[in-house]
Amino acid sequence: MPPDLPAAAPAVALEAGGRLITLKWHQLRRRRQDPAFARGNLAAALAAGATVEVDLVATADGDFVCLHELTLECETTGCGAVAGHSSAAVLALRQRDNAGEPLDSHVLGFSELVDIVRSHRLPGRPHGQIQLDLKEPLAGITGEVCRRFARELGDLGGWFTLSGPSWPAIARLAVAVPGLATGFDPEDAIEAGMASHDVPRHLLET
């Protein structure tokens, strides 16, 4: 942490070689032991100016929920494909902690996430502070998904960056919110066996 911050403050950056390196709270985890997508950590991040990452998966009725996997078993008390359940059904499920034990908290929905940002944002510094990591493949980015995404995001697009491993899916969804910052992660190509020396070219070409 920069030395001018008290030790108890949330870590938002590291100083190294005269540079300030921003830290990203992966899956809204402020600390390694935190459960994924903890609501309180989002509010704390916004107050501290931290950058955070949240995964998105689409439900059967075109909504987004904050989950990393396309199935429910690992992260929630439900089972089956996320895409096979309505938003209301998924949001009624309880989250699981890092050991797989059920928590008292329910699944975090995209609309609730946006509401938290709207309520806790500080004036004048959006800069794509919340990274939306799109896990939904291209086939799941339907017209209804795009419409609901744009409606929920409203005028807060500047606070978000949309990225993920499928550039076609990112591009299709980003069109719904003009000016939304986008990014690309070649994770799918790497997991499919792409040689490491080919990854930079693939990334740049994409």
Side-chain angles (χ1 to χ4, degrees), residues 4-93:
D4 56 334
L5 287 178
V12 298
L14 296 173
E15 284 187 332
R19 297 185 179 185
L20 200 61
I21 303 167
T22 300
L23 300 177
K24 180 173 64 178
W25 297 8
H26 183 243
Q27 294 182 350
L28 286 184
R29 287 185 170 98
R30 176 178 167 181
R31 304 177 182 85
R32 183 183 297 272
Q33 64 268 30
D34 290 349
F37 313 124
R39 292 161 172 83
N41 281 350
L42 177 56
L46 290 164
T51 299
V52 299
E53 183 254 11
V54 181
D55 298 315
L56 295 182
V57 178
T59 61
D61 49 351
D63 197 7
F64 276 124
V65 291
C66 299
L67 294 172
H68 181 273
E69 304 296 329
L70 299 178
T71 53
L72 295 165
E73 287 85 351
C74 181
E75 300 171 84
T76 79
T77 52
C79 60
V82 178
H85 297 75
S86 68
S87 174
V90 175
L91 296 177
L93 299 172

Side-chain angles (χ1 to χ4, degrees), residues 55-59 61-67 82 87 91 108-112 134-136 140-141 145-146 148-149 152 162 173:
D55 298 315
L56 295 182
V57 178
T59 61
D61 49 351
D63 197 7
F64 276 124
V65 291
C66 299
L67 294 172
V82 178
S87 174
L91 296 177
L108 177 63
F110 181 57
S111 61
E112 183 183 355
L134 183 64
K135 298 302 184 184
E136 190 67 29
I141 308 302
V145 165
C146 292
R148 292 189 67 159
F149 178 74
E152 296 292 352
L162 179 67
L173 186 58

